[in-house]
Amino acid sequence: MAEAGSNVTELFRASTAHSPSYAALSRATGDQQPITDFCIPCNPYFPPPEMFDELGDRLRDILTYYPSSADTITAELCSVLGLNPQTVAMGNGSTELITWIDHLLVRESLAVPVPTFGRWTDQPMETGKRVDMFPLPESSGFALDPASFVDFIRARGSRTAVICNPNNPDGGLLPRHGVLALLDQLQDLDLVVVDESFLEFADAEADSSVVADAVLRPNTVVLRSLGKNFGLHGVRFGYLVANPGLAGRVRAALPKWNLNSFAETVVFMLKEYRMEYAHSLRLVQRDRQEMIWQLSRLPGLTVYPSQGNFVYVRLPEGADGALLRNRMLEEHGVLVRECGNKIGSSSSFLRLVVRPKADVQRLVAGLERTLYAAAAIPGTPAIPATPGVPGMQGVPGMQGTSGAALPPGQHLVPAVPAPGPMPMPVHVPARSAPGHAPAHAPAHALPYASGTAAVDRLVQGA
């Protein structure tokens, strides 16, 4: 097991802005124990077992034959979502589309709040663009203040702006009216991208998407993920929506057969499984609230509100996320996303994917044993802090923290029964973004809304 642990540590050390793949981790651990994955943000409730069975039955044909053209697959997706195919470009994952957006539509500079999805900072830097990074303040729960972001863009002279909504890794959501106001103020830019890859998991308002508005604007692109929503990261498919001119430029540049036969098969199965998909989103929304509440009970752990299928947490003072990640995997078979390699974040933070209750119990038990057990021995820190904060260099206004370990003798708080079926978290800092009203009822008690009218039409069979 020690050799496996060393292999895993080397994998993470070799990673830059992203975590090693699940397959690489499985090889490194030698499949000695199953991994409970809190790192890769997949939907754990979709596809349902019968859909996997159907895919299995078709596996030979899927692997043997060429897929249809991207135009055919895109047309089917648009018929499901109620979109005009001329306004859509499908890619081999949203990352392929980010690459082509950068090559075709981004000129000399791009402004983006940080921390955020790494490809929005790395991709333009790889092609020589200037990336203007706007720090999201921890003091306001990493909420984006649109007015301050606009002022930053003007001061820097950025020609492209990107926001992820909800943002990755913190899950912050700017309400629809806030996004539209931002787009109005940035009409003079070459391009504004709204990355809605995780919006399907949001339940703060009935319709947060700006897809319908993007097709009418000259400089707006909305990016959507399919692999994250459908729990099928390995299939690699996503799409963008824009006015026909912008969408057509990207479509024309995409390689022939950039979508594989798995992607085609899944897209043509969506109508059949629309209700199962809707139910899966409700379950994730329910589990997110329960998971936030469970994590907020751990002493010294700061849990931030989220509208994604993940939760962003700050570890207790003195804890080192990289050491915690390694020990959680090696000792408990739990994989967590330590954020020390994310620009604008540090090793003091974890991004934890929303998973079912039994998995969360395993996560919490592992955190309890790893973070606090050794602190019961006077003078022995559970996990020492490592000086320096990877990923923070060169980001104005972003400072890392590295403090002492938890005070000796700090024990776990006694288990407290939940005051109701799905209580709101009680130790969660509130976001202060204008117009971001907190939810006042648990997700499972609210009418279903996917966060985008197009998917609501899919669910309702319109």
Side-chain angles (χ1 to χ4, degrees):
M1 190 67 182
E3 182 182 352
S6 174
N7 292 340
V8 168
T9 301
E10 287 302 317
L11 274 178
F12 280 104
R13 187 175 291 128
S15 299
T16 52
H18 302 281
S19 298
S21 71
Y22 188 90
L25 287 170
S26 296
R27 289 191 294 268
T29 59
D31 295 320
Q32 296 180 35
Q33 63 175 332
I35 297 174
T36 303
D37 179 21
F38 283 89
C39 179
I40 307 301
C42 273
N43 181 344
Y45 297 110
F46 196 86
E50 56 271 26
M51 188 171 172
F52 273 120
D53 290 343
E54 189 173 345
L55 286 168
D57 292 340
R58 300 185 189 182
L59 182 61
R60 188 180 186 88
D61 287 345
I62 290 172
L63 295 178
T64 299
Y65 298 108
Y66 275 109
S68 301
S69 69
D71 288 345
T72 298
I73 303 170
T74 301
E76 174 64 14
L77 179 71
C78 289
S79 75
V80 170
L81 299 180
L83 298 171
N84 182 338
Q86 295 304 308
T87 65
V88 174
M90 284 191 72
N92 186 17
S94 58
T95 300
E96 181 182 49
L97 296 172
I98 291 172
T99 302
W100 285 107
I101 288 170
D102 173 52
H103 280 285
L104 298 172
L105 306 178
V106 178
R107 290 200 293 169
E108 73 271 9
S109 57
L110 178 147
V112 61
V114 292
T116 196
F117 178 51
R119 292 311 300 164
W120 284 120
T121 54
D122 298 352
Q123 172 60 43
M125 285 194 287
E126 290 167 7
T127 54
K129 315 289 173 36
R130 189 186 79 233
V131 179
D132 302 323
M133 302 181 209
F134 176 73
L136 294 172
E138 184 181 355
S139 59
S140 62
F142 298 95
L144 174 64
D145 177 20
S148 297
F149 187 42
V150 171
D151 290 343
F152 174 81
I153 291 168
R154 300 305 182 203
R156 294 292 297 162
S158 313
R159 295 306 308 158
T160 295
V162 175
I163 65 167
C164 293
N165 202 44
N167 191 42
N168 172 11
D170 59 277
L173 181 75
L174 194 62
R176 183 174 183 275
H177 67 82
V179 178
L180 292 177
L182 183 65
L183 295 178
D184 287 343
Q185 294 179 74
L186 300 178
Q187 293 183 73
D188 60 311
L189 297 192
D190 297 336
L191 184 70
V192 183
V193 180
V194 183
D195 187 338
E196 296 183 349
S197 290
F198 295 99
L199 191 60
E200 299 291 283
F201 301 106
D203 61 359
E205 57 183 344
D207 188 1
S208 299
S209 179
V210 294
V211 161
D213 304 273
V215 300
L216 304 175
R217 292 175 178 264
N219 70 337
T220 302
V221 169
V222 173
L223 190 68
R224 305 301 300 267
S225 172
L226 294 172
K228 298 176 181 68
N229 304 337
F230 299 145
L232 293 169
H233 270 284
V235 173
R236 308 304 304 142
F237 54 170
Y239 66 101
L240 64 77
V241 183
N243 70 62
L246 288 178
R249 286 186 64 187
V250 175
R251 269 200 319 275
L254 291 170
K256 188 73 172 175
W257 289 306
N258 68 315
L259 303 174
N260 60 58
S261 295
F262 266 113
E264 176 177 15
T265 303
V266 171
V267 167
F268 276 82
M269 293 170 72
L270 292 181
K271 289 177 181 176
E272 180 182 353
Y273 289 98
R274 67 178 82 226
M275 297 311 300
E276 289 84 353
Y277 176 60
H279 183 60
S280 76
L281 297 179
R282 289 194 292 269
L283 293 177
V284 171
Q285 292 160 1
R286 178 203 65 185
D287 288 351
R288 176 177 60 217
Q289 196 154 314
E290 170 72 12
M291 182 171 165
I292 288 174
W293 184 80
Q294 292 287 352
L295 291 170
S296 70
R297 298 168 62 217
L298 296 178
L301 198 73
T302 304
V303 185
Y304 296 93
S306 174
Q307 283 289 297
N309 63 331
F310 45 81
V311 179
Y312 197 49
V313 303
R314 174 184 269 282
L315 295 172
E317 186 177 359
D320 182 273
L323 294 177
L324 174 66
R325 175 202 63 213
N326 294 347
R327 286 186 57 189
M328 288 288 289
L329 183 59
E330 294 166 12
E331 299 171 15
H332 305 287
V334 173
L335 176 63
V336 300
R337 175 59 160 100
E338 174 265 328
C339 294
N341 60 1
K342 270 190 173 290
I343 295 175
S345 187
S346 78
S347 192
S348 297
F349 293 89
L350 302 179
R351 186 198 66 193
L352 302 169
V353 171
V354 173
R355 292 194 61 86
K357 186 175 181 178
D359 292 342
V360 174
Q361 290 173 341
R362 183 177 181 183
L363 168 71
V364 170
L367 289 173
E368 288 176 346
R369 296 190 189 100
T370 308
L371 281 173
Y372 309 110
I377 304 172
T380 305
I383 294 186
T386 301
V389 183
M392 300 289 287
Q393 294 83 357
V395 182
M398 302 300 290
Q399 300 295 326
T401 59
S402 179
L406 289 172
Q410 180 169 358
H411 298 273
L412 298 176
V413 293
V416 178
M422 279 300 212
M424 290 296 290
V426 291
H427 296 122
V428 179
R431 296 185 186 274
S432 58
H436 188 104
H440 296 291
H444 66 289
L446 297 173
Y448 170 72
S450 69
T452 169
V455 175
D456 286 344
R457 287 194 292 271
L458 160 64
V459 169
Q460 295 158 12

